[in-house]
């Protein structure tokens, strides 16, 4: 049975809207219940858990056959798991540290994948109200405005966003790569929410974004938004974007930035 991608998109818009409202409006209460995960930088609040529950329950109610991967609760197998099954990938709050500190740069990120291919992506910033959407082959939009990616193709003129893993030793090595890149690019930004970083490339607010050690829920939806805006999104040495590297840049900048990161030792990070 073929899947109506528009229906998936509408469901994702609805559920990220509900979750975004919950997250935004429960911040005062949620940040009094904070746990750490892999390190003191890797935090989870009561709102992460409540928003994930809301979206998972909504997906299970609307589409019980689908599979779901959530940052906080892991894998949920649907009733129809097999070829052609829709698999949702959810980050209830991407940018949890920003959320904790009241920095208005965090998002609810929800993507749908079929047979390993990302087909729908929604990234919602509940504070600014901006909603980024994409359907495979249908373009990328912010609040209905078509996104066309950044224009700059020279590294020396490129504003490059990045992020850091939670492991402290990795962070030290990631800092060395940033130190090498800084004199070669226009400047570096570390906003703290990978999904929004990818959407920022899609709309040309930055020229590129890269990060090593990132999780599927961080880049699934934003990666599709960027791709559909004409941005090249890929990983290390021609591999798909993944834990080794997520690199997003205009096609004419991509190889230069990729090769520069390799020369600077990104593979040792
Ligand atoms: C984190 C953010 C951050 C990135 C980290 C992610 P989380 O996601 O996207 O910008 O640098 O790698 O883990 O933990 O806030 O959902």
């Amino acid at each position: 049975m073929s899947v109506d991608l528009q229906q998936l998109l509408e469901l994702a818009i609805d559920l990220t809207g509900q979750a975004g409202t919950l997250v935004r409006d429960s911040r005062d209460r949620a940040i009094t219940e904070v746990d750490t995960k892999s390190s003191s930088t890797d935090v989870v609040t009561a709102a992460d858990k409540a928003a994930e529950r809301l979206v998972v329950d909504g997906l299970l109610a609307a589409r019980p056959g689908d599979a779901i991967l959530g940052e906080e609760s892991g894998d949920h197998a649907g009733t129809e798991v097999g070829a052609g099954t829709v698999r949702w990938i959810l980050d209830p709050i991407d940018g949890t540290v920003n959320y904790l500190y009241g920095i208005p740069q965090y998002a609810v990120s929800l993507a749908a994948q079929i047979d390993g291919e990302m087909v729908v992506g929604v990234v919602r910033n509940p504070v600014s109200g901006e909603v980024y959407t994409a359907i495979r082959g249908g373009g990328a939009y912010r609040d209905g405005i078509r996104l066309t990616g950044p224009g700059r193709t020279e590294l020396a003129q490129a504003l490059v966003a990045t992020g850091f893993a939670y492991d402290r030793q990795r962070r030290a090595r990631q800092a060395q790569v940033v130190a090498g890149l800084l004199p070669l690019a226009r400047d570096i930004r570390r906003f703290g929410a990978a999904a929004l970083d990818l959407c920022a490339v899609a709309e040309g607010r930055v020229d590129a974004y890269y990060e090593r050690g990132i999780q599927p829920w961080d880049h699934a939806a934003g990666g599709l938004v960027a791709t559909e805006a004409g941005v090249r999104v890929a990983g290390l040495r021609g591999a798909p974007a993944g834990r080794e590297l997520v690199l997003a840049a205009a096609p004419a900048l991509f190889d230069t930035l990729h090769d520069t990161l390799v020369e600077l030792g990104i593979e040792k990070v």
Side-chain angles (χ1 to χ4, degrees):
M1 196 178 67
S2 78
V3 180
D4 183 337
L5 299 186
Q6 187 62 37
Q7 275 183 7
L8 298 188
L9 180 72
E10 281 161 21
L11 180 59
I13 290 172
D14 177 25
L15 291 174
T16 58
Q18 293 183 44
T21 302
L22 181 155
V23 163
R24 189 195 59 213
D25 294 351
S26 63
R27 184 176 167 271
D28 287 349
R29 198 164 11 95
I31 61 171
T32 61
E33 292 174 50
V34 182
D35 290 328
T36 54
K37 297 193 281 186
S38 60
S39 75
S40 61
T41 346
D42 189 4
V43 291
V44 57
T45 68
D48 290 80
K49 294 174 190 165
E52 177 141 333
R53 189 72 263 157
L54 184 156
V55 176
V56 168
D57 286 350
L59 291 171
L60 291 174
R63 300 183 51 90
D66 295 355
I68 307 166
L69 170 66
E71 176 177 13
E72 310 305 341
S73 58
D75 274 303
H76 304 252
T79 54
E80 291 164 21
V81 175
T85 303
V86 174
R87 181 178 188 241
W88 297 91
I89 303 177
L90 165 68
D91 191 341
I93 306 180
D94 180 48
T96 309
V97 175
N98 284 346
Y99 178 70
L100 186 60
Y101 282 79
I103 298 168
Q105 181 75 0
Y106 58 86
V108 183
S109 171
L110 182 60
Q113 193 182 44
I114 299 178
D115 297 334
E117 185 180 57
M118 227 54 78
V119 291
V120 162
V122 175
V123 176
R124 178 186 293 271
N125 178 335
V127 185
S128 70
E130 290 169 319
V131 185
Y132 300 86
T133 57
I135 287 183
R136 163 84 47 199
Y141 297 84
R142 183 195 63 230
D143 305 324
I145 297 165
R146 184 107 191 214
L147 305 178
T148 54
R152 285 172 210 86
T153 56
E154 299 292 318
L155 182 54
Q157 266 99 52
L159 184 59
V160 182
T162 189
F164 302 118
Y166 288 124
D167 178 84
R168 290 187 185 282
Q169 287 175 348
R170 278 192 115 169
R171 294 182 145 223
R173 295 193 294 271
Q174 284 173 329
Q176 286 170 359
V177 174
V178 170
L181 185 60
L182 189 53
L184 305 177
R186 169 164 280 154
D187 213 336
I188 304 284
R189 292 290 181 271
R190 195 299 195 238
F191 294 119
L196 290 173
D197 290 334
L198 285 157
C199 294
V201 186
E203 63 189 330
R205 281 183 185 165
V206 294
D207 297 304
Y209 159 76
Y210 77 91
E211 185 163 346
R212 187 160 157 92
I214 198 165
Q215 301 285 353
W217 44 80
D218 296 315
H219 66 90
L224 182 63
V225 170
T227 302
E228 286 296 323
V231 173
R232 184 166 166 205
V233 183
L236 205 52
R237 299 183 187 277
R243 290 217 71 183
E244 283 197 318
L245 183 67
V246 174
L247 171 55
L253 174 63
F254 187 97
D255 287 337
T256 307
L257 182 53
H258 173 277
D259 296 352
T260 303
L261 291 169
V262 169
E263 275 168 34
L264 292 170
I266 188 93
E267 288 165 289
K268 298 191 205 92
V269 167

